[in-house]
Amino acid sequence: MTKSEKELLNEEFIKTLKMGLQISNIQADLLEANMKDLDKKMSKLGDDLDEANK
């Protein structure tokens, strides 16, 4: 393998790695948004249950 082939392979690896990291960040953001939404719904449910038990 020539030096230029190794450099090209390395560049492609770095691009692929960056894309994977971007996808992971997007998934983490979506998970965080889902968790916040779930937390809001659970808080409302808890408030509704407290109100029903009065």
Side-chain angles (χ1 to χ4, degrees):
M1 188 178 289
T2 66
K3 184 176 179 181
S4 61
E5 288 174 329
K6 287 181 183 178
E7 289 172 348
L8 192 57
L9 191 60
N10 189 44
E11 286 175 17
E12 289 301 314
F13 173 76
I14 296 297
K15 285 181 191 176
T16 304
L17 184 61
K18 286 180 179 179
M19 284 189 286
L21 290 172
Q22 288 173 340
I23 291 169
S24 294
N25 284 336
I26 291 167
Q27 288 174 327
D29 290 344
L30 289 171
L31 179 60
E32 183 179 9
N34 287 341
M35 293 298 290
K36 285 181 180 179
D37 187 49
L38 181 60
D39 188 46
K40 286 180 188 176
K41 288 178 180 177
M42 290 182 69
S43 291
K44 181 171 180 356
L45 179 59
D47 293 344
D48 291 349
L49 285 171
D50 289 343
E51 188 65 30
N53 288 328
K54 286 184 180 179

